[in-house]
Amino acid sequence: MSFPEPLQQFIGNRLDRELNWKSRCHPLYGYLPRYSSTPLFIKREDELNANAVGTKYRKYLSLIPALEHSGNERIILIGSAHSNNVVGLAQLLRSRGIDVSALIKAPGNKQLVGNHLLLTMLLPHDRMHYVSHPDWPRVEEIAEQLVARLKQQGISAMVIPEGGYSEAVLPGILTLAADLQRNGKELGVEFQDIWTDSCTGISAIGLLLGMRLLGITKPRVHITHIAGNPDEFQQRYVQFERWLEQLTQQPLPGARPQVRFIQPATAASYGSVNQTILRESWAIARETGLLMDPVYSVKHFYTVKREMERQAPDGPQLILYNGGTLGMCGFQSRLASREPMV
Ligand SMILES: *Cc1c(COP(=O)(O)O)cnc(C)c1O
């Protein structure tokens, strides 16, 4: 199926043909407060792919073909030991026979758990390069040194920045706006608000720019800042806006949706998980039937809940579940500690 114009014209031939860009949307039962005028829906970005987190996966729709066409023999990934991006991309690249090296921020936790375990299973020792905390600010320089070393050995390599921050992800991240429009039409619902979460901001930027390109100014978009802040977000937005204008060769429509940024309601620093988050992970599972990753999705849903309790929303609401169950695996023992075995 093709995308609505003008999206089709700009991204249609830039996406991998075999990767799926549609996720379903269904009513959400339980957990969030119920108001008669506000039907609640959840968008299942987690179902886009079982092995890679939903938001990341949209980036790969165009990143993977770009990397395949680049002809590089080695792709160098950058991220923390628990990065959803590194473990997601490593799988997709390795399964297509592409060689991968990872520059990993040395983890504080010496136990091999979660994404760090999965990544270690995927890549042999000589493809894992640990970078110490003091050296981490210069990781991109270290990556370029690795590229130069490989070049001397006759191996062409390129670097994917942390979180996939690059022009090549742009066509992929624009698909979300089109998919949301499709969901709304199929359900016969006009969403008043969308609630999403962000880290580098790339996925949310894709949503906002996709809406602009399609000329959609509603729904309002609420963004939970799991990491980053509005200033960084704005800088990146401007960069992607430029890239999009290069892609379309014309100025973007000025009309845009309203945006609001929210801080997490608890455990505000990125990556932190406290007793509230562990408790809410259980509550969400019991009340909605959804197993969610604590670092992003539970924090996001809990924040949305608090916001809706503070001010009752009006009209149909759509909450994005951008993460996935795989993101729980680093937290098994902490989640289990809440329920003593009898
Ligand atoms: C990476 C990630 C996000 C945020 O994506 P960005 O594009 O970096 O803002 C949100 N939720 C989950 C589960 C993620 O892994």
Side-chain angles (χ1 to χ4, degrees), residues 53 55-56 59 84 197-203 293 296 322-323:
V53 158
T55 51
K56 304 294 183 295
K59 300 175 190 177
N84 286 333
D197 55 345
S198 99
C199 173
T200 63
I202 301 173
S203 310
D293 55 286
Y296 289 92
N322 287 319

Side-chain angles (χ1 to χ4, degrees), residues 7 33 42 83 102-103 107 110 121 133 157 189 195 199 216 228 236 263 278 280 311 330 341:
L7 218 49
I42 178 168
S83 162
L103 292 186
K110 290 276 169 267
M121 293 178 73
H133 276 232
V189 171
W195 303 79
C199 173
I216 313 169
R236 289 183 166 161
Q263 286 305 307
L278 295 173
E280 298 301 307
Q311 185 171 15
M341 285 229 283

Side-chain angles (χ1 to χ4, degrees), residues 190-195 219-222 313-319:
E190 251 184 70
F191 301 115
Q192 289 301 305
D193 298 88
I194 296 178
W195 303 79
R220 265 188 302 264
V221 180
H222 306 257
D314 195 18
Q317 305 290 307
L318 179 64
I319 300 100

Side-chain angles (χ1 to χ4, degrees), residues 52-69:
V53 158
T55 51
K56 304 294 183 295
Y57 182 76
R58 286 202 188 269
K59 300 175 190 177
Y60 308 155
L61 295 175
S62 55
L63 180 60
I64 294 278
L67 293 179
E68 282 183 331
H69 290 146

